[in-house]
Amino acid sequence: MNSFIIHGDICYAADKNTLVTRENGYLVCVDGICKGVFGTVPEQYAHLELREYGGMLVIPGMVDLHIHAPQYAYRGLGMDKELLDWLNTYAFPEESKYSNLNYADKAYTIFTDAIKRSATTRLVVFGTLHREATELLMDKLDKSGMVSYVGKVNMDRNSPDNLREVSAAESLADTERFILNTQHKYKNTAPIITPRFTPSCSDELMRGLGELSKKYGVRVQSHLSENPGEVEWVRELCPWAENYGEAYDRFGLFGKPQKTVMAHCVYSDDNEIARMKENGVFIAHCPASNTNVASGIAPMRKYLELDMNLGLGSDVAGGHSESMFTAMVDALQVSRLYWRLVDQSKKPLNVTEVFYLATKGGGAFFGKVGSFEEGYECDVVILNDSLLPHPQGLSLQERLERAIYLGGDVKAMEAKYCRGNVIIRN
Amino acid sequence: MNSFIIHGDICYAADKNTLVTRENGYLVCVDGICKGVFGTVPEQYAHLELREYGGMLVIPGMVDLHIHAPQYAYRGLGMDKELLDWLNTYAFPEESKYSNLNYADKAYTIFTDAIKRSATTRLVVFGTLHREATELLMDKLDKSGMVSYVGKVNMDRNSPDNLREVSAAESLADTERFILNTQHKYKNTAPIITPRFTPSCSDELMRGLGELSKKYGVRVQSHLSENPGEVEWVRELCPWAENYGEAYDRFGLFGKPQKTVMAHCVYSDDNEIARMKENGVFIAHCPASNTNVASGIAPMRKYLELDMNLGLGSDVAGGHSESMFTAMVDALQVSRLYWRLVDQSKKPLNVTEVFYLATKGGGAFFGKVGSFEEGYECDVVILNDSLLPHPQGLSLQERLERAIYLGGDVKAMEAKYCRGNVIIRN
């Protein structure tokens, strides 16, 4: 079932500086694992089924390192505030609705269907603090065949009454229950420890979450240094921490012992960056969100130069689109404004770099994901870009660049595979 | 034929601060002119045909004040350079192809079809310096039913050999011929004087173009103060001009005697701004382009405070999308980064403001266009936004906001009218 050969015009990023393109290539997938890309079908794979996508773009599935499933319902609304006001005015009231499982069912069905239709194959997801609704979301995501980490959110302070857990102890008990319920239940999804961010979580809660992460070997996601007001607030809340990152690291929630992804990192200082580098923390760069809620622009060139663990996040609904094509374009665009307005020693990102970030860069959080090299899990997106008319021929690299910029216009996702399984096929 | 009533959920911007919304409203169109929006059909119009778009969004057609038709073919390609390098590397080689009428025919068909499918009903268009290809473009645009101004471009210096006119005299003769051929030929399109920008046009050419504009009563479009290197270059080329704008104004190409639209205005100084205000020059704000070619961010809040004549431009292919929804979102986003990174006294734009810019603001260049108030030409776009699922009800204003942000997802343009004529209908 998931051993086959895909024929088409193949592109992937082998590293952040290397785009591999092979027109009329053959991507061999055996038991969901890539065996490589070839100019002709190797003898030993000649018996495999050939799936014909001649003339179409064949690229790795996209990895969304940061997305809020419950916020999908109000994407494109309420984009007129800064982070903290935005949370109180829009995000928190919307998330409080997920205490109602009927609402959650309706909204998470819309969410899962939308991600299925997108180019995303892997995602790291915030739910809400509601355990049952979050488990419902995991049911849906698991069934979709896409691979995800999903977090029941923890919040025990500085949140509205209807979106705050009664105590650290109850929040921890519910989280342990969440882990026990979900850790071995699913094929395609797994739980991830999810303190919303330091302002929403007491030290006691953070300490307990660190212990749960260690006890059950569960990964961690959160937000970091997104907005100046937020950073200042954390300084007041955790006067003992030398920086915001330390407020996670102290509790074992910052890359060690478990892999961790932190969204944003717009205002990380040098010490925080050094700690992230040392601990292998993944940074989810979320350019649309950082623009929409007026946070600023993350110093991605610096992070690339430092060889940090990096990927992209749509951050719906701070970001208004779940499209990772849009995220790539946004990353390109804000890097140009960063160069122009902030620091002309930091050259803008290029297409190969953002393509790498959206695939192999973020994919590393999942393991060998986001490339077509031998041994990588076979996540594939096939785009019929011939539907975008052009008066002349284009090279394969130009077609990829155009597909990224016009992602929203690439109406024909011909097919999407995750781990060699068909997610959608036209 | 173009007298009818549209029933639906109607939104338009009466001014930059006033969004008018009317659920279940009736928009009356008589001979292509709006008679207003009503809660019930007024007696005297009861005999008109009712066109039923119940539950759909009914908004004015969008006005694109700045777009390069010949660059559409390479939109989304070559976005890795600053303006002047970008012109030499990408724009000029592509535009030189339009000496070939077969190529022009193919590319301009693709362009016109794409704009037809978009929400744009009015556009101000750069062609190339090739008169015949530009007239071909006008044939196609006129036939589409959308209303446009189209310019044969003038360039007699600082351009590659295959994209430079032999002399100012020949450029002027060809332009006069262009005007004579097109000024009274079409119902929906008209010529516009189009010096590419000061670096490409000698003083002699500019002087002659000013005379042609005056002699034939033809409007003017060009580029202004887009990029620091360009502004500096103009200072060297025109040492007699106190600013870039003066290099047009001296020759009667800056709002007087004829209406003029200038794209960009990112680096206009106070004197230049004052002259634009005095002369009523329209500014086409092109946020995607200013980001893609790393120009910077235009001070739109300042221009709004000064009550300048303002609209939006897609600026394809400095901008990579012809969608005016995208242009509105880009305008919102860059205004937030401007606030964050440049000047915190300039509050970001809001949805009403960008909706105004994309409709009535830019529409003023065409006359009474871009609103549904009595006397306005009846340009209408109808969006079936029910195709975007949502778990709860939304107010009409929220639906408009969401349609703007998710413009690319609003697959169902149900219908588009220009001057009361059907352009497309599902």
Side-chain angles (χ1 to χ4, degrees):
Chain A
M1 261 307 271
N2 56 6
S3 297
F4 52 84
I5 298 168
I6 282 175
H7 174 234
D9 297 330
I10 299 172
C11 300
Y12 64 93
D15 59 49
K16 67 188 177 186
N17 299 313
T18 311
L19 182 70
V20 179
T21 61
R22 170 81 80 158
E23 267 181 283
N24 264 312
Y26 295 87
L27 167 63
V28 176
C29 172
V30 173
D31 294 332
I33 303 296
C34 294
K35 294 293 170 184
V37 172
F38 306 92
T40 54
V41 177
E43 189 58 34
Q44 74 264 41
Y45 303 123
H47 63 288
L48 294 178
E49 181 197 346
L50 181 72
R51 298 189 181 170
E52 184 54 69
Y53 299 109
M56 298 188 196
L57 268 179
V58 177
I59 60 176
M62 302 280 134
V63 180
D64 188 342
L65 280 187
H66 187 63
I67 183 165
H68 292 260
Q71 297 178 6
Y72 188 74
Y74 74 98
R75 73 201 185 285
L77 293 172
M79 309 259 66
D80 56 348
K81 302 206 183 298
E82 261 198 277
L83 175 67
L84 300 175
D85 284 343
W86 179 86
L87 286 170
N88 287 317
T89 312
Y90 302 110
F92 292 163
E94 178 67 21
E95 290 192 19
S96 72
K97 295 178 191 163
Y98 288 76
S99 61
N100 177 338
L101 278 180
N102 284 332
Y103 187 82
D105 185 56
K106 209 170 2 168
Y108 283 152
T109 299
I110 292 173
F111 171 75
T112 307
D113 288 350
I115 305 298
K116 264 186 90 159
R117 284 193 306 273
S118 81
T120 299
T121 50
R122 309 261 170 166
L123 55 168
V124 187
V125 187
F126 269 61
T128 60
L129 56 74
H130 312 94
R131 183 177 50 72
E132 287 181 313
T134 306
E135 292 180 19
L136 186 69
L137 171 61
M138 292 179 81
D139 292 344
K140 291 180 192 296
L141 282 171
D142 183 65
K143 210 171 144 195
S144 77
M146 302 180 290
V147 175
S148 57
Y149 290 97
V150 178
K152 175 214 124 28
V153 174
N154 299 91
M155 310 167 70
D156 73 340
R157 67 174 177 187
N158 296 320
S159 318
D161 287 345
N162 61 357
L163 198 71
R164 193 179 62 240
E165 294 166 298
V166 220
S167 67
E170 288 204 25
S171 177
L172 290 167
D174 212 29
T175 302
E176 186 157 22
R177 174 106 185 258
F178 171 68
I179 293 170
L180 291 169
N181 284 354
T182 60
Q183 192 171 21
H184 303 294
K185 180 176 179 185
Y186 301 107
K187 205 169 133 189
N188 298 312
T189 186
I192 184 166
I193 301 269
T194 306
R196 177 167 215 117
F197 65 158
T198 298
S200 301
C201 300
S202 66
D203 291 358
E204 183 190 351
L205 177 54
M206 288 291 203
R207 184 173 300 109
L209 291 175
E211 286 161 7
L212 288 176
S213 168
K214 191 172 172 193
K215 176 172 177 188
Y216 293 101
V218 176
R219 299 175 178 206
V220 178
Q221 66 177 342
S222 196
H223 299 94
L224 183 68
S225 297
E226 177 177 359
N227 172 290
E230 172 212 22
V231 172
E232 184 51 38
W233 195 14
V234 170
R235 198 170 290 135
E236 289 162 21
L237 289 166
C238 304
W240 47 265
E242 73 163 350
N243 55 48
Y244 194 165
E246 166 77 13
Y248 297 106
D249 198 30
R250 173 75 60 97
F251 302 113
L253 296 164
F254 205 57
K256 287 181 178 174
Q258 289 298 319
K259 261 190 184 173
T260 296
V261 57
M262 286 284 161
H264 308 305
C265 305
V266 178
Y267 294 99
S268 298
D269 65 20
D270 286 347
N271 288 337
E272 185 169 290
I273 293 169
R275 192 73 63 90
M276 282 194 279
K277 171 75 183 163
E278 191 184 324
N279 289 11
V281 169
F282 280 73
I283 296 172
H285 176 46
C286 306
S289 167
N290 295 338
T291 300
N292 284 333
V293 295
S295 298
I297 304 176
M300 283 298 285
R301 172 60 60 204
K302 184 198 278 187
Y303 296 152
L304 282 163
E305 285 166 354
L306 289 169
D307 266 323
M308 314 279 289
N309 284 326
L310 298 173
L312 297 181
S314 67
D315 194 21
V316 164
H320 54 279
S321 168
E322 70 276 20
S323 164
M324 293 303 292
F325 294 109
T326 301
M328 286 189 271
V329 175
D330 290 334
L332 289 164
Q333 290 191 315
V334 300
S335 76
R336 295 198 179 103
L337 291 178
Y338 188 88
W339 172 84
R340 168 65 69 197
L341 299 173
V342 181
D343 184 351
Q344 299 209 1
S345 79
K346 298 300 179 200
K347 72 173 187 209
L349 306 194
N350 63 43
V351 168
T352 298
E353 287 168 332
V354 299
F355 185 54
Y356 165 81
L357 292 174
T359 55
K360 197 174 177 180
F365 189 76
F366 288 84
K368 296 188 89 167
V369 166
S371 172
F372 293 148
E373 292 154 278
E374 190 176 356
Y376 275 71
E377 296 189 60
C378 199
D379 292 9
V380 190
V381 161
I382 292 156
L383 301 173
N384 185 359
D385 66 326
S386 69
L387 298 177
L388 295 176
H390 191 270
Q392 290 194 315
L394 293 173
S395 72
L396 184 44
Q397 182 162 353
E398 286 172 324
R399 286 168 56 198
L400 175 68
E401 183 178 359
R402 190 175 68 143
I404 290 171
Y405 269 100
L406 307 182
D409 286 337
V410 180
K411 301 292 190 304
M413 173 99 53
E414 188 68 19
K416 182 165 89 170
Y417 295 80
C418 185
R419 292 176 165 169
N421 299 308
V422 172
I423 309 300
I424 49 170
R425 192 190 282 178
N426 259 354
Chain B
M1 261 306 271
N2 57 4
S3 298
F4 52 85
I5 298 169
I6 283 175
H7 173 234
D9 297 331
I10 300 172
C11 300
Y12 64 93
D15 60 50
K16 65 188 178 187
N17 299 313
T18 311
L19 182 70
V20 179
T21 61
R22 170 81 81 157
E23 269 181 280
N24 265 313
Y26 295 87
L27 166 63
V28 176
C29 172
V30 173
D31 294 333
I33 303 296
C34 293
K35 294 293 171 184
V37 171
F38 306 93
T40 53
V41 177
E43 188 60 35
Q44 75 263 42
Y45 303 123
H47 63 289
L48 294 177
E49 181 198 347
L50 182 70
R51 299 190 181 169
E52 184 54 67
Y53 299 108
M56 298 188 197
L57 269 179
V58 177
I59 60 177
M62 302 280 134
V63 180
D64 188 342
L65 279 188
H66 186 63
I67 184 165
H68 292 260
Q71 297 178 7
Y72 187 75
Y74 74 99
R75 73 201 184 285
L77 293 171
M79 308 259 66
D80 56 348
K81 302 205 184 298
E82 261 199 278
L83 176 67
L84 300 174
D85 284 344
W86 179 86
L87 286 170
N88 286 317
T89 311
Y90 302 110
F92 290 166
E94 178 67 21
E95 290 192 18
S96 72
K97 294 177 192 163
Y98 289 76
S99 61
N100 177 338
L101 278 181
N102 284 332
Y103 187 82
D105 186 55
K106 209 169 5 168
Y108 283 152
T109 299
I110 292 172
F111 170 77
T112 307
D113 287 351
I115 304 298
K116 263 186 90 160
R117 285 193 306 273
S118 80
T120 299
T121 50
R122 309 262 170 166
L123 56 168
V124 187
V125 187
F126 269 62
T128 60
L129 57 74
H130 312 94
R131 184 178 50 72
E132 286 179 315
T134 306
E135 292 181 18
L136 186 67
L137 171 62
M138 292 179 80
D139 291 345
K140 291 180 193 295
L141 282 172
D142 182 65
K143 211 171 142 195
S144 77
M146 301 180 290
V147 175
S148 57
Y149 290 97
V150 179
K152 175 214 126 25
V153 174
N154 299 92
M155 310 166 70
D156 74 338
R157 68 176 175 185
N158 296 319
S159 319
D161 287 345
N162 62 357
L163 199 72
R164 194 180 62 240
E165 293 167 297
V166 220
S167 67
E170 289 202 24
S171 176
L172 290 167
D174 211 30
T175 303
E176 186 156 22
R177 174 109 183 257
F178 170 69
I179 294 169
L180 291 170
N181 284 355
T182 60
Q183 191 171 22
H184 303 295
K185 180 177 179 186
Y186 300 108
K187 205 169 135 190
N188 298 312
T189 187
I192 184 166
I193 301 268
T194 306
R196 178 169 214 114
F197 66 159
T198 299
S200 301
C201 300
S202 66
D203 291 0
E204 183 190 350
L205 177 53
M206 289 291 204
R207 184 172 300 111
L209 291 174
E211 285 161 7
L212 288 175
S213 168
K214 190 171 173 195
K215 177 173 176 186
Y216 293 101
V218 176
R219 296 173 180 208
V220 178
Q221 67 176 343
S222 196
H223 300 94
L224 182 69
S225 298
E226 176 176 1
N227 171 290
E230 171 212 23
V231 172
E232 184 52 37
W233 194 13
V234 170
R235 198 170 288 134
E236 289 163 21
L237 289 166
C238 304
W240 47 264
E242 73 163 352
N243 54 48
Y244 194 164
E246 166 77 14
Y248 296 107
D249 198 30
R250 172 76 58 98
F251 302 114
L253 296 165
F254 205 58
K256 287 182 178 173
Q258 289 298 321
K259 261 190 185 173
T260 296
V261 58
M262 286 285 161
H264 308 306
C265 306
V266 178
Y267 294 99
S268 297
D269 65 20
D270 285 348
N271 287 337
E272 185 168 290
I273 293 169
R275 191 73 63 89
M276 282 194 279
K277 172 76 183 162
E278 191 185 323
N279 288 11
V281 169
F282 280 74
I283 295 173
H285 176 45
C286 305
S289 168
N290 296 337
T291 300
N292 284 334
V293 296
S295 297
I297 304 175
M300 284 298 285
R301 173 58 61 205
K302 185 197 278 187
Y303 296 152
L304 282 163
E305 284 166 354
L306 289 169
D307 266 323
M308 313 278 288
N309 285 326
L310 299 173
L312 297 180
S314 67
D315 194 21
V316 165
H320 55 278
S321 169
E322 71 276 18
S323 164
M324 294 304 291
F325 294 110
T326 302
M328 284 189 273
V329 175
D330 290 336
L332 288 164
Q333 291 191 314
V334 301
S335 77
R336 295 196 179 103
L337 291 178
Y338 189 88
W339 172 83
R340 168 65 70 195
L341 300 172
V342 181
D343 183 352
Q344 299 208 2
S345 78
K346 298 300 179 201
K347 71 172 187 213
L349 306 194
N350 63 43
V351 167
T352 298
E353 287 168 331
V354 299
F355 185 55
Y356 165 81
L357 291 174
T359 55
K360 197 174 177 181
F365 189 75
F366 288 83
K368 297 187 88 168
V369 166
S371 173
F372 294 148
E373 291 154 279
E374 190 176 356
Y376 274 71
E377 297 189 59
C378 198
D379 293 8
V380 190
V381 162
I382 293 156
L383 301 173
N384 185 0
D385 65 327
S386 69
L387 298 177
L388 295 175
H390 191 269
Q392 292 194 315
L394 293 173
S395 73
L396 185 44
Q397 182 162 353
E398 286 172 324
R399 286 167 56 198
L400 175 68
E401 183 177 358
R402 190 174 69 143
I404 289 172
Y405 270 100
L406 308 182
D409 287 337
V410 180
K411 301 293 190 303
M413 172 98 55
E414 187 68 19
K416 182 165 91 170
Y417 296 80
C418 185
R419 291 177 166 167
N421 300 307
V422 172
I423 308 299
I424 48 170
R425 189 189 286 178
N426 259 352

